[in-house]
Amino acid sequence: MLLAAFAAATAADLVSLLADWHPGHVVFKPLLMPLLLAYAVTRRAPRLLLAALVFGWGGDLALLFDAEPAFLVGMGSFAAGHVCYLVLFGRGRTQPALAAGYAAALLGTVGLLWGDLPADLRIPVACYSLLLTAMACRAAVFGLRAGIGGALFLLSDSLIASGVAAWPQPPRPDFWIMATYAAAQYLLTTGALDRGRTGVR
């Protein structure tokens, strides 16, 4: 039931974005992480996973406000969530090719965005990008599902960063940002829960 409610709220939010109905986005976006969190609680999820979802919810709420201070608060909340995910993933071995690919993506993306970002956001965005990329890379130690979730989280936030840098955007960029973000959090959550059922932490 809770996953069905999460899927319904996600669909309603995405339809609101496609219809350019901002009140719907304001109503449905804040429901996503609490529903996913409630599902995780019923599955006796690790506390670090629950904390990551709480910080994700904080980031969601902050980014509803179109102001630079809110953007920084949201980025900080998501960063705390990434730290929770990183600790949860532990010290399992990361494939060298995967790590090299993510490192190249990090350097390329930050290098290309750097000159187009507002000067006061360059360092915060670069630091956040490093943490996000590390989380996305490490997610693969929990299996393919979590690995895809990490990659989608990176894609979602890269779309946000390119918008901040005033790069050309795809049609309805908010739709793609939320679609990839919701999928990312779902895959990370269910991937971590599946990993937990095998007795591996």
Side-chain angles (χ1 to χ4, degrees), residues 16-191:
S16 297
L17 291 171
L18 285 175
D20 200 22
W21 186 45
H22 185 66
H25 180 55
V26 171
V27 169
F28 293 115
K29 182 183 180 181
L31 297 178
L32 302 184
M33 290 308 102
L35 288 169
L36 200 54
L37 175 65
Y39 171 74
V41 168
T42 66
R43 303 301 298 272
R44 298 182 180 180
R47 291 181 180 179
L48 284 168
L49 175 58
L50 302 181
L53 293 173
V54 169
F55 283 122
W57 184 50
D60 289 347
L61 294 177
L63 294 186
L64 285 173
F65 299 92
D66 188 17
E68 186 173 304
F71 177 77
L72 289 171
V73 169
M75 188 163 57
S77 190
F78 281 121
H82 296 326
V83 171
C84 293
Y85 276 128
L86 280 168
V87 178
L88 176 65
F89 297 148
R91 298 183 179 181
R93 183 175 180 273
T94 301
Q95 295 182 0
L98 183 65
Y102 272 111
L106 171 66
L107 293 174
T109 302
V110 172
L112 290 170
L113 286 172
W114 187 265
D116 295 326
L117 289 169
D120 57 337
L121 289 180
R122 289 172 183 168
I123 297 299
V125 167
C127 293
Y128 176 80
S129 297
L130 176 61
L131 188 58
L132 169 62
T133 304
M135 184 281 293
C137 182
R138 293 292 299 149
V141 304
F142 266 26
L144 180 62
R145 181 181 298 184
I148 294 173
L152 287 176
F153 213 134
L154 180 61
L155 175 58
S156 179
D157 280 6
S158 295
L159 289 171
I160 294 175
S162 67
V164 173
W167 281 16
Q169 297 290 291
R172 300 292 184 186
D174 288 347
F175 170 86
W176 297 111
I177 288 167
M178 283 305 302
T180 50
Y181 168 69
Q185 291 282 36
Y186 167 77
L187 291 171
L188 285 167
T189 298
T190 55

